[in-house]
């Protein structure tokens, strides 16, 4: 299974839309990790792929879950925005929460900065921001592949 992971679009979907127009056939699902989850409606209508979305700190009046735990190919995956775990300061709170939730992978956003690191066997992955990157990074999304008991995550600069 291959997933396109986006976050922090803040209403600017032009780069994501352009990327998916050229690469949609590579993905089984699209995940949005918050901050303008209403942008997922545009993606659903245009591309018709299964979508999963969680709310971020800028999704005040939107309905939807704040986090989701899924099992894919024997791996437990936590999707959240990250603001409830102070990810702008450190990943430790998020890591400890992931341990409590007994997950193998945690996908989060909020910082607008790409992250792809393993801590004690837990993959912590932030696709960065598809619209408003920070800290000198370019706009980016993530690709996560599940298969043969492995999870491989990479960033794509838009």
């Amino acid at each position: 299974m291959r997933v396109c992971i986006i976050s922090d679009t803040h209403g600017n979907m032009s780069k994501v839309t352009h990327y998916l127009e050229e690469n949609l056939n590579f993905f089984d699902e699209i995940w949005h990790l918050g901050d303008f989850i209403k942008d997922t409606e545009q993606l659903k209508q245009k591309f018709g792929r299964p979508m999963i979305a969680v709310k971020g700190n800028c999704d005040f009046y939107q309905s939807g879950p704040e986090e989701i735990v899924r099992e894919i190919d024997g791996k437990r995956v936590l999707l959240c925005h990250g603001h409830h775990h102070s990810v702008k300061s450190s990943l430790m709170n998020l890591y400890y929460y992931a341990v409590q939730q007994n997950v193998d992978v945690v996908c989060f956003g909020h910082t607008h900065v790409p992250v792809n690191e393993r801590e004690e066997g837990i993959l912590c992955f932030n696709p960065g921001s598809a619209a408003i990157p920070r800290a000198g990074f370019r706009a980016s999304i993530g690709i996560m592949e599940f298969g043969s008991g492995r999870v491989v995550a990479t960033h794509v600069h838009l």
Side-chain angles (χ1 to χ4, degrees):
M1 176 173 189
R2 185 180 291 161
V3 179
C4 179
I5 306 173
I6 60 176
S7 187
D8 299 286
T9 51
H10 293 275
N12 183 348
M13 296 293 293
S14 60
K15 291 180 180 180
V16 170
T17 301
H18 178 72
Y19 176 81
L20 288 173
E21 284 172 347
E22 296 180 358
N23 298 284
L24 183 65
N25 291 333
F26 292 112
F27 300 108
D28 301 299
E29 289 184 354
I30 301 169
W31 298 348
H32 193 294
L33 302 177
D35 278 2
F36 279 48
I37 64 169
K38 67 182 180 181
D39 292 339
T40 60
E41 290 304 317
Q42 178 183 342
L43 293 176
K44 277 184 202 176
Q45 290 175 2
K46 184 167 180 84
F47 298 115
R49 281 289 189 269
M51 298 280 312
I52 296 175
V54 293
K55 291 172 43 169
N57 60 300
C58 292
D59 294 317
F60 309 111
Y61 304 109
Q62 301 298 311
S63 61
E66 299 223 349
E67 66 180 48
I68 295 172
V69 175
R70 299 195 55 207
E71 188 163 325
I72 301 170
D73 194 39
K75 299 292 185 185
R76 287 178 46 85
V77 182
L78 168 66
L79 284 68
C80 66
H81 187 61
H83 61 295
H84 291 302
H85 305 287
S86 304
V87 295
K88 285 187 178 179
S89 301
S90 165
L91 295 183
M92 291 312 293
N93 287 338
L94 182 62
Y95 165 74
Y96 289 131
Y97 185 70
V99 169
Q100 288 176 333
Q101 298 300 308
N102 193 32
V103 298
D104 303 292
V105 178
V106 59
C107 298
F108 66 101
H110 190 54
T111 65
H112 296 223
V113 174
V115 172
N116 188 357
E117 40 185 82
R118 290 189 189 272
E119 182 70 35
E120 299 287 325
I122 297 175
L123 173 60
C124 296
F125 187 79
N126 184 329
S129 173
I132 310 169
R134 292 186 181 144
F137 288 94
R138 292 172 40 202
S140 60
I141 60 172
I143 298 172
M144 193 166 285
E145 296 182 64
F146 298 85
S148 303
R150 294 179 357 130
V151 180
V152 177
T154 56
H155 291 101
V156 173
H157 300 285
L158 302 174

